Amino acid sequence: MPIWLDLIVRVVAVVAAFLVLPLVVGQAEHKVMAHMQGRLGPMYAGAFHGWAQLVADGVKFVQKEDVAPGEADRRVFRLAPIVALFPYLLVLLAIPLGPDGLVAQGLDVGLFFVLAVLGIGVLAVLMSAWASANKYSLLGGLRGAAQLLGYELPLVLAAASVAMAAGTLSLPGIVEAWRPWWLLWQAPAAIVFFVAGLAEIRRPPFDMPIADSELVFGYMTEYTGLRFAFFLLAEYVGIIVIAALTTVLFLGGWHGPLADQLGWLWTLVKIFAVSFVIIWLRVSFPRLREDQLQRLCWLVLVPLALAQLVLTAAVKVLT
C-alpha cells in the first residue's frame, strides 16, 4: 500500500472512532442511567428501548440558537469548544488497538506525548471561563484550573510507574511487556490513574468546575446549541480516552484468548467495560466538595502514587 494511502486510511479510521465511539458511550450512558435511576424518557424515545434518544438530543442542539454574551471575547469564546476537543483527537492517534502495528501512529515516546497533549485541556476551561464574561463561568474556570493542575501530578506518577515496569515509553511496547500478575503489582497505580483521569475529564463525582447546583453550569454556562454540544462531545471522548489509556497501561490492552486474531476486540471490550464503570460512578456517588477534592489529590493519591513508584523502582532494581 502506498504511504499516502496508508496515511489516509489511518487518519480516516481515527476520525471515525473519534466521532462514533463517544456517541456509543453517550447512548450507553442514557440507558445505564435510565435503568439505575428509573428514568422514563431515555427508555421510550423512538419506541424500541429508546433508540432515538441520542438523535433527539442532536436535533435539539442543532435547533437551539447560537448565542454569545455581549461582553464576551467572541473569538476566544468560539474557539474554546474546539480546543476542548482537539487534544483527544491527537491522543487517539497514539493509542494501539491491537498487535502488529494496529495503531494510527506508533511513537517511541507515546506515553509522554499522550500525557503532554492531555494537559492542553485546562486551556479550554480557562478560555471558556474568561471569555464568557460571567462570574459563574469564571468561578467554574478557576475551580477547573485548580483541579486539572492538581490531578495532573498523580496521573503522571501512576503512568510513570507502569512505564518504568515495562522499560519503555511506547504504548505498544508497554502492552507487549504487560503480564497478568501486573494486575496485582500495579493495582495501586491503576486506581490512582483511573481516579485522576476522572478528575481530568471532570466527570462526577469530580465535577466541581460545573457544579450546576452552585454555578449554574460553571464554565459552560453561556454556551448554547452546537458549541455546548461540542463540550459534551469532548466529555464523552474524554471517557473513551481515559478508558483506553487505563486499558493499554494497566489491563493488558489486546491481551486475551486468540490475541493475534481478536486483539482489537479485546481492547474494545476492555475500553467499554471501563467506560461502564465511569458511568456507574456518576450514578452512584455524590459530588465532592472542593476541600474534599483537593484533600483526595494531595493527601491520598499523590502519596500512593509515589509509594507505587518507589515499589516499582525497587522491584526493577532487584530483578
Side-chain angles (χ1 to χ4, degrees):
M1 181 183 296
I3 295 178
W4 62 270
L5 182 58
D6 180 68
L7 178 62
I8 291 176
V9 170
R10 290 172 184 265
V11 171
V12 169
V14 170
V15 172
F18 178 77
L19 296 175
V20 173
L21 293 182
L23 298 181
V24 174
V25 171
Q27 182 75 349
E29 182 170 62
H30 280 111
K31 303 309 171 189
V32 171
M33 293 181 66
H35 282 293
M36 289 186 172
Q37 297 180 333
R39 298 186 178 193
L40 297 181
M43 301 305 295
Y44 286 93
F48 180 70
H49 208 67
W51 66 269
Q53 179 62 47
L54 206 61
V55 177
D57 288 340
V59 172
K60 175 183 68 176
F61 285 127
V62 170
Q63 289 179 334
K64 286 188 175 181
E65 183 180 2
D66 183 15
V67 178
E71 299 299 320
D73 185 332
R74 291 176 180 263
R75 289 185 179 179
V76 178
F77 181 83
R78 291 170 177 168
L79 186 60
I82 306 301
V83 176
L85 273 170
F86 190 65
Y88 295 127
L89 176 59
L90 294 180
V91 169
L92 289 177
L93 289 170
I95 294 178
L97 188 61
D100 302 322
L102 193 57
V103 56
Q105 183 59 57
L107 300 172
D108 292 337
V109 290
L111 181 58
F112 177 82
F113 170 80
V114 164
L115 294 177
V117 171
L118 282 178
I120 299 175
V122 67
L123 293 179
V125 175
L126 291 175
M127 288 169 64
S128 60
W130 181 260
S132 294
N134 179 295
K135 62 182 179 180
Y136 294 113
S137 298
L138 183 59
L139 286 173
L142 294 177
R143 285 183 178 184
Q147 176 173 318
L148 296 177
L149 291 175
Y151 278 86
E152 277 285 335
L153 182 57
L155 186 80
V156 171
L157 290 175
S161 174
V162 72
M164 183 184 298
T168 179
L169 289 173
S170 167
L171 293 179
I174 291 174
V175 178
E176 290 173 358
W178 183 87
R179 296 294 180 268
W181 65 279
W182 285 21
L183 291 172
L184 295 177
W185 178 35
Q186 294 294 324
I191 294 171
V192 170
F193 185 89
F194 180 72
V195 173
L198 286 182
E200 285 290 303
I201 60 175
R202 302 169 294 284
R203 285 285 297 183
F206 301 98
D207 57 339
M208 282 301 293
I210 297 174
D212 51 313
S213 60
E214 305 169 21
L215 303 179
V216 185
F217 219 63
Y219 61 91
M220 292 190 287
T221 297
E222 297 292 351
Y223 283 90
T224 60
L226 286 178
R227 299 189 193 281
F228 181 75
F230 285 159
F231 272 115
L232 293 185
L233 180 62
E235 179 180 334
Y236 288 124
V237 181
I239 293 176
I240 292 294
V241 166
I242 294 302
L245 289 175
T246 303
T247 296
V248 168
L249 296 177
F250 300 100
L251 300 180
W254 62 73
H255 286 284
L258 301 175
D260 291 336
Q261 293 79 29
L262 300 177
W264 61 272
L265 180 59
W266 285 114
T267 301
L268 289 177
V269 167
K270 293 174 184 178
I271 288 173
F272 283 116
V274 176
S275 300
F276 172 79
V277 174
I278 294 175
I279 297 171
W280 184 12
L281 290 175
R282 173 179 180 174
V283 179
S284 304
F285 288 91
R287 179 184 300 125
L288 295 176
R289 296 195 314 264
E290 187 65 27
D291 61 313
Q292 294 173 329
L293 186 144
Q294 295 296 340
R295 188 180 298 115
L296 174 64
C297 175
W298 296 106
L299 298 183
V300 179
L301 297 185
V302 170
L304 185 59
L306 287 172
Q308 176 65 46
L309 199 59
V310 171
L311 174 63
T312 303
V315 172
K316 291 294 289 184
V317 168
L318 294 176
T319 58

